[in-house]
Amino acid sequence: MALASHLLKKAVFSNPLSLNKSVGILYNATRNHWNYQYQPGQYPRTPEQREAAAKRYGMTVEEYQPYPEHMGYGDYPRLPDVGEDSRDPHYPYDCPELKRNFNEPMHARMEIFGGDRYDPAMKRRFSLLHQWTWFLGTIGGSFALYLYLEDFKFGRPVTAKQLPSNGPHYLFSAN
């Protein structure tokens, strides 16, 4: 025990920056999971900046289209709104469980378009009019039954309360 504390003191006090570096490494490993390289650059205003942004995201200049400047996404590319379920299931993806390839840009709103979430490109089984008709028909039918059966309440059958002045009463005791 004394040897371990001696080595720790020697390591910390021999170089005053060693403690700072150790804490910095631990802090980085546990708290800072954001890489500065993930941050999008400034909105591209010139053709040269647009070409550099397209190259940065691995796209051609023709297919690169940034979000509008007022949205605050910088030079991040505007990708089509296609969810995970609408992507080709037979393509050999690098990460097949997410249907993504390595170094492929993610959608800016990827938390919405996950495999278990909303997919705007999905073809619906029933039209929205069909869904609303069934929903409102079910709710309306339930409400109509409630209004119609409001006067026909039923409950647990209970006899009238027995009072001494109402007549003979029977005791069930063994006398």
Side-chain angles (χ1 to χ4, degrees):
M1 183 71 176
L3 181 63
S5 64
H6 175 69
L7 286 174
L8 185 62
K9 286 178 189 177
K10 187 172 182 180
V12 170
F13 294 120
S14 65
N15 185 1
L17 296 177
S18 64
L19 179 64
N20 191 13
K21 288 180 183 178
S22 302
V23 169
I25 289 170
L26 289 174
Y27 182 76
N28 246 355
T30 58
R31 299 284 295 159
N32 293 343
H33 57 277
W34 179 257
N35 187 342
Y36 71 94
Q37 295 169 337
Y38 296 160
Q39 185 174 1
Q42 294 295 321
Y43 185 80
R45 289 183 168 69
T46 65
E48 293 81 22
Q49 289 176 340
R50 186 179 173 95
E51 187 177 332
K55 183 179 177 186
R56 177 179 178 193
Y57 294 110
M59 304 171 90
T60 63
V61 178
E62 292 78 28
E63 68 181 357
Y64 173 73
Q65 179 66 38
Y67 280 95
E69 189 174 4
H70 70 276
M71 291 184 74
Y73 288 120
D75 70 344
Y76 203 74
R78 184 180 192 131
L79 300 173
D81 291 343
V82 176
E84 193 176 300
D85 276 346
S86 293
R87 297 185 81 174
D88 183 14
H90 304 293
Y91 181 82
Y93 295 104
D94 294 336
C95 185
E97 62 273 5
L98 298 176
K99 293 186 183 172
R100 290 193 67 234
N101 286 322
F102 180 74
N103 244 359
E104 178 182 305
M106 293 177 73
H107 198 283
R109 299 183 310 166
M110 189 61 194
E111 72 277 359
I112 297 173
F113 300 134
D116 58 344
R117 293 181 177 87
Y118 177 64
D119 187 1
M122 181 182 71
K123 185 182 181 306
R124 298 181 188 274
R125 182 175 176 195
F126 299 108
S127 68
L128 245 95
L129 176 66
H130 190 265
Q131 293 176 26
W132 275 106
T133 303
W134 275 100
F135 172 72
L136 293 175
T138 304
I139 297 298
S142 300
F143 188 67
L145 277 173
Y146 168 75
L147 289 178
Y148 176 72
L149 298 174
E150 181 68 20
D151 295 334
F152 302 106
K153 293 200 182 265
F154 66 92
R156 189 169 50 100
V158 178
T159 59
K161 189 169 185 179
Q162 296 180 1
L163 298 174
S165 61
N166 291 348
H169 298 289
Y170 306 98
L171 298 176
F172 298 101
S173 60
N175 282 352

